[in-house]
């Protein structure tokens, strides 16, 4: 049985896609089968793993629209044990198109439930909003991983995300839980970074991952080469941080994952 984790935060620039790409690649390197589901119309997770999103005929959009099967959409990446359901700009219109359709909140869940046993981890990269695509991701997931940047206003908007999680839990997915809060963009030279971590730990207690993702040049450079940081520079701080996060996630879920 696999673990489906939605990576979500409606606030942009918190390291959500960076986490999706690099956590997925790290789990794959550690010999776990991983599926990354890109439901963000910006398609950065897809391009970040070397997928040419401009020349895709079939994407996760066609899957959610029930125009294609899982096998038609899924692609293997160039990285160990890692497959992807790629995104495209077509997803921008998906929320409007689905508004009046039946079971619009469970489209993704219906698909992932059929393949959950094929993967140890399924990670969902959600868009930076709380619209229908994010709700699909939350409805399909077992848990939510929330990236929070170590910057001023870090907690801004988190209350709204938590309310959305509770609404999804009440209406569509009663078992949905928070996997953990991940602190990103940490800079040890800045007092604000440590202050923000203290504040977040007060709010979320043991739900905050022990691993902290530091600001790192190699981590910032890797997307421009369309590869995860562990492939770009495995010795970098960024790569080591995400390997540590992957290991922490594995330990938390060792009784669940196959």
């Amino acid at each position: 049985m696999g673990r489906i984790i939605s990576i979500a935060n409606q606030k942009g620039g918190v390291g959500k896609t960076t986490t999706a790409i690099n956590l997925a690649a790290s789990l794959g390197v550690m010999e776990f089968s991983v599926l990354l589901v890109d439901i963000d119309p910006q398609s950065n997770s897809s391009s970040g793993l070397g997928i040419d999103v401009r020349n895709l005929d079939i994407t996760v959009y066609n899957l959610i629209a029930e125009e294609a099967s899982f096998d038609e959409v899924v692609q293997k990446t160039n990285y160990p044990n890692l497959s992807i359901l790629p995104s495209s700009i077509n997803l921008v219109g998906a929320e409007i198109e689905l508004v009046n359709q039946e079971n619009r909140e469970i489209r993704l869940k219906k698909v992932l439930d059929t393949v959950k046993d094929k993967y140890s981890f399924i990670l969902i990269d959600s868009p930076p909003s709380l619209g229908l695509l994010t709700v699909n991701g939350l409805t399909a997931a077992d848990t939510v991983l929330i990236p929070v940047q170590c910057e001023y206003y870090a907690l801004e908007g988190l209350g709204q995300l938590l309310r959305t999680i509770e609404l999804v839990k009440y209406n569509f997915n009663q078992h949905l839980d928070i996997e953990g809060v991940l602190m990103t963009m940490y800079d040890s030279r800045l007092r604000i970074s440590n202050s923000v971590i203290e504040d977040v730990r007060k709010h979320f207690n043991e739900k905050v991952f022990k691993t902290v993702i530091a600001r790192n040049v190699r981590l910032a450079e890797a997307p421009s080469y369309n590869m995860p940081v562990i492939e770009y520079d495995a010795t970098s701080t960024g790569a080591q941080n995400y390997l540590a996060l992957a290991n922490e996630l594995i330990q938390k879920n060792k009784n669940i994952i196959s």
Side-chain angles (χ1 to χ4, degrees), residues 10 22-23 35 37 71 115 120 138 154 166 180 188 192 208 226 253 258:
Q10 81 275 18
N22 291 295
L23 178 56
L35 175 68
V37 183
D71 289 338
V115 298
S120 298
L138 294 173
E166 285 303 313
S188 60
I192 186 67
V208 182
N226 295 329
N253 293 288
S258 53

Side-chain angles (χ1 to χ4, degrees), residues 189-214:
R189 299 168 299 178
L190 301 179
R191 187 182 302 170
I192 186 67
S193 286
N194 294 303
S195 176
V196 168
I197 289 177
E198 282 183 26
D199 286 346
V200 172
R201 288 196 189 280
K202 284 178 185 174
H203 278 80
F204 292 98
N205 301 310
E206 74 284 351
K207 286 291 186 181
V208 182
F209 284 103
K210 294 181 177 67
T211 303
V212 173
I213 309 299

Side-chain angles (χ1 to χ4, degrees), residues 61-221:
Y61 165 79
N62 303 96
L63 201 56
I64 291 174
E66 298 182 340
E67 298 172 351
S69 69
F70 176 86
D71 289 338
E72 289 176 303
V73 179
V74 70
Q75 292 192 30
K76 291 188 180 299
T77 71
N78 294 323
Y79 307 108
N81 306 303
L82 177 55
S83 298
I84 186 169
L85 293 176
S87 175
S88 76
I89 193 65
N90 289 341
L91 269 176
V92 168
E95 298 202 3
I96 298 170
E97 293 172 18
L98 289 173
V99 159
N100 294 317
Q101 296 191 25
E102 289 185 8
N103 301 319
R104 57 187 180 272
E105 297 90 358
I106 64 169
R107 293 292 182 91
L108 188 61
K109 176 179 172 57
K110 285 168 63 179
V111 173
L112 296 186
D113 279 352
T114 67
V115 298
K116 190 173 182 178
D117 291 343
K118 294 182 179 180
Y119 301 95
S120 298
F121 290 97
I122 298 176
L123 304 182
I124 304 170
D125 184 15
S126 305
S129 70
L130 295 177
L132 192 51
L133 289 171
T134 297
V135 169
N136 260 267
L138 294 173
T139 302
D142 297 309
T143 59
V144 192
L145 190 158
I146 306 171
V148 176
Q149 79 281 29
C150 295
E151 296 176 358
Y152 200 59
Y153 297 132
L155 293 172
E156 187 181 65
L158 271 185
Q160 190 177 356
L161 174 61
L162 295 175
R163 282 192 293 275
T164 299
I165 291 170
E166 285 303 313
L167 284 171
V168 169
K169 189 172 182 177
Y170 181 78
N171 290 290
F172 308 112
N173 184 1
Q174 62 179 333
H175 301 296
L176 184 64
D177 197 5
I178 294 176
E179 183 72 41
V181 176
L182 175 67
M183 303 308 302
T184 64
M185 304 179 190
Y186 174 73
D187 189 335
S188 60
R189 299 168 299 178
L190 301 179
R191 187 182 302 170
I192 186 67
S193 286
N194 294 303
S195 176
V196 168
I197 289 177
E198 282 183 26
D199 286 346
V200 172
R201 288 196 189 280
K202 284 178 185 174
H203 278 80
F204 292 98
N205 301 310
E206 74 284 351
K207 286 291 186 181
V208 182
F209 284 103
K210 294 181 177 67
T211 303
V212 173
I213 309 299
R215 285 191 180 277
N216 178 246
V217 172
R218 293 301 199 194
L219 188 59
E221 289 175 346

